[in-house]
Amino acid sequence: MATKIRLQRHGRKGYPFYKIVIADSRAPRDGKFIERIGSYNPNTNPATIDLNFERALYWMNVGAQPTDTVRNILSREGVMMMKHLQGGVKKGAFDEATAQRKFEEWKSGKDEKLNKTKASMAKAKEDAAKAALEAEKKANQAKAEAVAEKRAAAAKAKAEAEAAGEEPATETEATTPEAEATPAE
């Protein structure tokens, strides 16, 4: 039986997440599978991958063929690297301890790079929030100044009207001739 390591789609329309499964190559995409070895959620940033490393490595060693996307996922998680290193141990190029050391160095470099990316994304988000807050403060200050000027002008006009002994005109009394002249339909 030809086995595949592939994605099984779940989730709603426009918001998928996937289970990583081992299945017969003849089975339908979302149909019967042999074993579930993980999940993949591309909706988060960066994508969330939950993988049973040991089982994925086992299935790769017994000949299961991953699809292109799953191959990228396995490569990112280090399954492909470990399979490569185990091949070197079998050929006698180096021993198991050296293979483990190389894998740990690779994994720590990969984790460090991922953490840097997450930190830079968080900093960029924080900077954008600060910039938006500053812009909002400036806009509010400009509105407050405009309102203060309008109130000062209204107070000045009221004071001038009182000084002249006139009754200040209210907004309801001040109607335009056009509004009175419009015929009712």
Side-chain angles (χ1 to χ4, degrees):
M1 161 170 72
T3 56
K4 290 278 225 182
I5 305 176
R6 63 182 178 199
L7 299 177
Q8 195 177 56
R9 191 183 196 281
H10 293 276
R12 62 181 164 83
K13 183 167 120 179
Y15 197 82
F17 69 91
Y18 302 92
K19 290 180 181 177
I20 303 170
V21 297
I22 310 299
D24 183 2
S25 62
R26 298 169 292 185
R29 179 191 74 181
D30 298 336
K32 187 175 178 181
F33 60 90
I34 299 167
E35 182 180 355
R36 178 178 178 224
I37 60 171
S39 64
Y40 168 61
N41 185 0
N43 301 310
T44 59
N45 192 8
T48 306
I49 298 170
D50 178 34
L51 184 69
N52 184 337
F53 187 87
E54 299 301 322
R55 293 305 293 169
L57 186 60
Y58 165 78
W59 282 103
M60 286 297 297
N61 285 333
V62 296
Q65 295 297 312
T67 60
D68 292 338
T69 304
V70 174
R71 183 183 311 279
N72 291 335
I73 291 169
L74 296 177
S75 179
R76 176 177 163 187
E77 292 298 307
V79 174
M80 302 300 276
M81 178 72 160
M82 182 55 87
K83 182 180 181 220
H84 172 73
L85 291 173
Q86 285 180 348
V89 170
K90 285 179 186 174
K91 290 179 183 177
F94 42 82
D95 62 347
E96 183 67 34
T98 307
Q100 275 302 116
R101 184 181 49 76
K102 285 183 178 184
F103 180 74
E104 292 301 324
E105 288 173 2
W106 177 85
K107 188 71 171 169
S108 65
K110 192 82 160 170
D111 290 343
E112 184 178 315
K113 186 176 178 183
L114 182 64
N115 290 338
K116 267 187 196 177
T117 303
K118 284 182 180 179
S120 67
M121 287 171 50
K123 182 165 175 37
K125 187 175 181 180
E126 186 179 307
D127 290 344
K130 283 182 182 179
L133 180 64
E134 289 299 319
E136 187 174 344
K137 282 181 181 179
K138 286 180 182 178
N140 287 343
Q141 186 177 5
K143 285 181 185 178
E145 288 173 359
V147 168
E149 288 175 12
K150 187 175 181 181
R151 285 185 180 166
K156 183 178 177 184
K158 184 177 180 181
E160 289 176 358
E162 287 177 359
E166 298 176 7
E167 183 69 26
T170 60
E171 290 181 21
T172 56
E173 295 174 6
T175 58
T176 60
E178 294 92 350
E180 294 173 4
T182 53
E185 294 182 33

